[in-house]
Amino acid sequence: MPPTDSRSTYHHGALREELITACLALIESEGIGAVSLRRVAREAGVSPGAPYHHFPDRASLLNAITARGYQLLLAEVRRAVDAAGSPVQALGALIETYVRFARANTAYVRLMYRPELSESDKDPAAEATAEEGLQLLTETVVACQRAGAAPPGDPGPLVTMIWSVAAGLAMLSVEGPLDHLTAARGSTVPELTAQVSALVQTLLTGATPPR
């Protein structure tokens, strides 16, 4: 086991937060491939053995960040859905929130959409929060159906469509293609996302009411 950290200024949990912050900064600047516990320790200014107090390996550190990313995203989506004036507007707000969150939190999102790196299937917290997000989306789609603003029946296909649109725009935004596309059109990613959100809402409001 690596030696213990000699810094005495950390309270319990403070070292953990420092390591997570350092890891996020490293992902932002150099990418996920640059992450190792030794490198994160160096970036945080602690001894090579310090991370082992909280993270037994690289995957456990990435897991912790992935779980937090899902928690932060879910909190923002809940606020957007609660503030929306109708279930249809809530779906549009959800799409825009995904993209806005992704652009502001690229390190989190790069991990959230790369489960093979963080082994999130081994982390109940990350899995539970991701499932909670899908449940919120499903409930919103069902509310649209009850209001006659979405086709009746199995909500699964519409849930999948909205999720794919939101997550797809988010990742295209993080990876850069959307910036190039919108710049060529004299627009911006937020403007394009708002247009897509409005289009989805327009399509839904034309749905056949349930019988």
Side-chain angles (χ1 to χ4, degrees):
M1 176 66 66
T4 58
D5 181 43
S6 60
R7 290 176 64 163
S8 60
T9 56
Y10 284 112
H11 298 289
H12 181 71
L15 172 58
R16 187 177 191 274
E17 291 302 312
E18 187 80 5
L19 293 167
I20 288 175
T21 298
C23 186
L24 286 167
L26 187 57
I27 293 172
E28 289 277 5
S29 62
E30 299 185 32
I32 298 170
V35 174
S36 68
L37 290 186
R38 180 174 291 274
R39 178 68 188 281
V40 169
R42 185 163 75 246
E43 295 297 317
V46 299
S47 73
Y52 292 90
H53 291 294
H54 296 283
F55 306 108
D57 53 30
R58 177 179 184 267
S60 63
L61 171 59
L62 298 182
N63 260 338
I65 294 173
T66 299
R68 180 171 297 183
Y70 278 121
Q71 291 162 3
L72 293 171
L73 173 59
L74 179 60
E76 290 197 18
V77 169
R78 283 197 183 281
R79 284 193 291 270
V81 168
D82 290 344
S86 70
V88 170
Q89 290 175 353
L91 289 181
L94 183 148
I95 292 171
E96 294 186 65
T97 300
Y98 259 71
V99 177
R100 185 168 56 250
F101 177 87
R103 292 178 69 79
N105 301 276
T106 57
Y108 280 116
V109 172
R110 286 194 169 104
L111 280 176
M112 291 160 65
Y113 289 91
R114 295 290 300 277
E116 77 279 6
L117 294 174
S118 61
E119 300 180 24
S120 58
D121 59 324
K122 298 179 182 178
D123 187 338
E127 286 288 290
T129 308
E131 287 297 325
E132 195 174 347
L134 279 178
Q135 181 60 34
L136 175 60
L137 172 54
T138 302
E139 291 170 358
T140 306
V141 166
V142 170
C144 287
Q145 291 177 316
R146 289 173 178 164
D154 180 9
L158 184 53
V159 168
T160 302
M161 187 190 84
I162 299 297
W163 183 31
S164 298
V165 169
L169 285 171
M171 280 309 300
L172 287 172
S173 175
V174 167
E175 298 301 332
L178 277 190
D179 286 292
H180 297 303
L181 175 65
T182 53
R185 298 173 56 210
S187 181
T188 65
V189 171
E191 288 172 351
L192 175 61
T193 304
Q195 291 168 346
V196 171
S197 169
L199 176 60
V200 168
Q201 293 177 64
T202 299
L203 293 173
L204 287 175
T205 53
T208 303
R211 299 181 183 279

